[in-house]
Amino acid sequence: MLRTIFMIGLFAIGGLFVLRLAFGLFAFGFGLLGWLFFFAIKVAIVGGIIYLIIRVFSPDTARRLRQKWNG
């Protein structure tokens, strides 16, 4: 009977350890995903600004870039 109580306690502690590990990995994954998302937004904004500057100062170059990416 004492062995059963200790085994239940051992499984409970093991389960808590596994839950803490799993939620820690999920938190790391969500943090990495958020960082990548905001980095992609920053890159898109900078690329849009560069394209806008090229379009204002050199419309022919902007047209060639559009043709290159659109096919």
Side-chain angles (χ1 to χ4, degrees), residues 3 7 14 24 29-30 35-36 52 55 59-60 63 65-66 68:
R3 181 179 171 202
M7 288 304 292
F30 282 130
W35 180 82
L36 286 174
L52 181 65
R55 188 171 178 180
D60 188 46
R63 190 176 307 112
L65 283 173
R66 237 183 339 226
K68 179 181 177 183

Side-chain angles (χ1 to χ4, degrees), residues 1-17:
M1 186 163 143
L2 191 59
R3 181 179 171 202
T4 305
I5 293 172
F6 283 134
M7 288 304 292
I8 290 172
L10 183 65
F11 279 120
I13 291 174
L16 289 174
F17 175 74

Side-chain angles (χ1 to χ4, degrees), residues 47-70:
I49 291 171
I50 290 171
Y51 177 74
L52 181 65
I53 291 171
I54 290 174
R55 188 171 178 180
V56 168
F57 290 109
S58 180
D60 188 46
T61 304
R63 190 176 307 112
R64 280 188 280 149
L65 283 173
R66 237 183 339 226
Q67 288 175 354
K68 179 181 177 183
W69 292 107
N70 289 337

